[in-house]
Amino acid sequence: MKIFTKTTCISLRIATMMMACLLAWSYYYLQYDLNRLPGGELISSSTSPDENYTVKAYKSSGGATTNWTIKGVVQDNKDSKKRVIYWDEAKSAHIVWKDKNIVTINNKKIDVIKGSYDYRHD
């Protein structure tokens, strides 16, 4: 008497692979997606030298047991798209543009087109 048929084994393999993919996606979503970060109070804003981008810094607190954090959001001034590029433990944000695409926030150099900084993965 067969305990597992061929189709049962294939079904179990597919289910296991789907579960592994779901777990990998969940880990990424919870640990690496900067767009899930909390909002906060706007404390600073700076526009790039060519006025194509604006970086805004927000300060937020998770409560009495966590440090203050700064979230940096870059906005493309042409199409108003926003993206989180910076997340760090700090109370203030010092934003300096190095050129039209490179900005430093609290001495962390970031390319606003494709770069980001997250202190949790430093």
Side-chain angles (χ1 to χ4, degrees), residues 3-21:
I3 296 176
F4 293 108
T5 65
K6 187 176 182 178
T7 56
T8 304
C9 287
I10 291 171
S11 297
L12 285 172
R13 287 181 183 167
I14 291 172
T16 302
M17 287 182 1
M18 289 175 65
M19 200 59 155
C21 289

Side-chain angles (χ1 to χ4, degrees), residues 18-100:
M18 289 175 65
M19 200 59 155
C21 289
L22 179 64
L23 288 172
W25 177 82
S26 298
Y27 179 78
Y28 171 81
Y29 182 73
L30 293 173
Q31 294 295 320
Y32 290 96
D33 187 10
L34 290 174
N35 292 313
R36 294 186 60 253
L37 298 172
E41 169 192 350
L42 179 65
I43 59 168
S44 182
S45 179
S46 180
T47 302
S48 64
D50 63 0
E51 298 185 354
N52 284 334
Y53 299 100
T54 300
V55 172
K56 295 180 179 179
Y58 299 88
K59 180 169 80 169
S60 66
S61 171
T65 60
T66 62
N67 292 330
W68 288 98
T69 54
I70 301 295
K71 175 173 77 170
V73 178
V74 65
Q75 178 177 334
D76 187 330
N77 293 333
K78 290 181 246 175
D79 59 14
S80 297
K81 288 185 181 178
K82 295 179 182 178
R83 186 173 69 87
V84 178
I85 61 168
Y86 179 82
W87 180 249
D88 198 2
E89 291 181 322
K91 288 187 178 181
S92 63
H94 182 67
I95 303 170
V96 177
W97 287 91
K98 297 297 182 185
D99 63 31
K100 64 180 185 173

